[in-house]
Amino acid sequence: MGLIVGLANGLFGAGGGTVLVPALEKFKPLETHKAHATTLAVILPLSIISALVYVWGVDVDWKAVGLVSAGGVVGGVIGARILSKISAGWLNILFGLFLGAGAIRMLFS
Amino acid sequence: MSWVWYVVAGLASGIICGMGIGGGAILIPALTIFLGMEQQAAQKINLLYFIPTAAIALRLHIKNGNVEKSGLLKLTIYGVIGAVVGAFIAVNIDGGYLRKGFAVFLLTMAVYEIMKGYKRWTSKDSKRSKTNSV
């Protein structure tokens, strides 16, 4: 499972998490909320490695990174709070919508 | 005042990211379409902002007992190996068709997730109406 998720992440630069959430739900099996939170725990170290590989030695707009991260950190706290309150059904629907949007973008890019 | 929009874009995608849904779907279009950034620059920001955002959300998830720790290390190690192999393959092949194929797979998963959620939603509603009628 980890290998496939990593492969997807490395190959397509994204989508590892989107594969892991339903995989954890179906095969582990984990409850929906736990699948989402645990996915974050797996993807974070992967992203740190990707960041080191992709960002090393290239130009980065650090000011933009700082601003987006400032918003991101506050949003991350709000998102984590929402996750522990939202129902599994709504979580599935929201996830499906974002997954679909991402897939369509990938299909036409 | 454009700096405000960077923070707003981060905030919106941070919420989605904190829920473990994937904030890149919001952030990259927001940066490229509304703030006129290049796709590659936006991807770099997406990768970097994710680290503090996911870290703080993860801290809360661990505190709330939402992270399954058994098997996590193994999953992560295999994930890292897969990512390195995947990145190596990506550099050496033209992944156009593979990418489209993966997108179709993701789209199928999206429909499946929405249907699953809808079923849960309606079954909960019917339960609620049953208890109301009793």
Side-chain angles (χ1 to χ4, degrees), chain B residues 15-116:
Chain B
I15 293 174
I16 301 303
C17 165
M19 293 170 72
I21 292 176
I26 290 186
L27 187 62
I28 294 177
L31 291 178
T32 52
I33 298 167
F34 298 113
L35 291 163
M37 212 172 235
E38 300 258 325
Q39 174 78 17
Q40 278 201 318
Q43 271 169 353
K44 278 181 220 154
I45 292 177
N46 183 49
L47 202 55
L48 289 168
Y49 109 100
F50 178 82
I51 296 169
T53 303
I56 200 157
L58 197 56
R59 234 183 76 115
L60 275 168
H61 288 318
I62 292 170
K63 221 173 84 185
N64 293 336
N66 272 330
V67 176
E68 177 63 46
K69 291 193 181 96
S70 81
L72 184 59
L73 188 67
K74 224 169 109 185
L75 203 58
T76 309
I77 291 171
Y78 279 116
V80 170
I81 296 170
V84 172
V85 174
F88 187 74
I89 298 172
V91 176
N92 288 296
I93 61 158
D94 172 30
Y97 286 107
L98 208 60
R99 206 178 152 81
K100 297 263 187 286
F102 186 60
V104 171
F105 167 72
L106 287 184
L107 204 57
T108 317
M109 290 305 304
V111 174
Y112 170 76
E113 286 289 326
I114 292 170
M115 278 166 55
K116 190 166 69 180

Side-chain angles (χ1 to χ4, degrees), chain A residues 11-12 15 17 22 32 40 48 64-65 72 77 80 82 86 92 106-107:
Chain A
L11 258 177
F12 308 109
T32 304
L40 215 49
I48 293 173
V65 172
V77 172
I82 294 175
I86 197 172
N92 288 147
M106 207 183 223
L107 211 52

Side-chain angles (χ1 to χ4, degrees), chain A:
Chain A
M1 207 192 285
L3 267 177
I4 293 168
V5 168
L7 267 174
N9 237 9
L11 258 177
F12 308 109
T18 53
V19 177
L20 189 55
V21 171
L24 283 175
E25 274 186 88
K26 191 139 189 92
F27 301 117
K28 187 104 168 141
L30 283 187
E31 189 270 321
T32 304
H33 295 81
K34 271 198 158 182
H36 281 264
T38 307
T39 293
L40 215 49
V42 177
I43 296 301
L44 181 59
L46 281 181
S47 292
I48 293 173
I49 292 170
S50 308
L52 287 175
V53 172
Y54 283 108
V55 177
W56 200 262
V58 295
D59 268 343
V60 176
D61 185 350
W62 287 108
K63 194 184 157 208
V65 172
L67 290 170
V68 174
S69 300
V73 166
V74 178
V77 172
I78 298 171
R81 291 242 165 97
I82 294 175
L83 182 76
S84 56
K85 291 201 174 80
I86 197 172
S87 77
W90 271 114
L91 195 54
N92 288 147
I93 290 173
L94 259 181
F95 178 57
L97 288 176
F98 276 93
L99 196 56
I104 288 167
R105 217 163 53 90
M106 207 183 223
L107 211 52
F108 293 104
S109 66

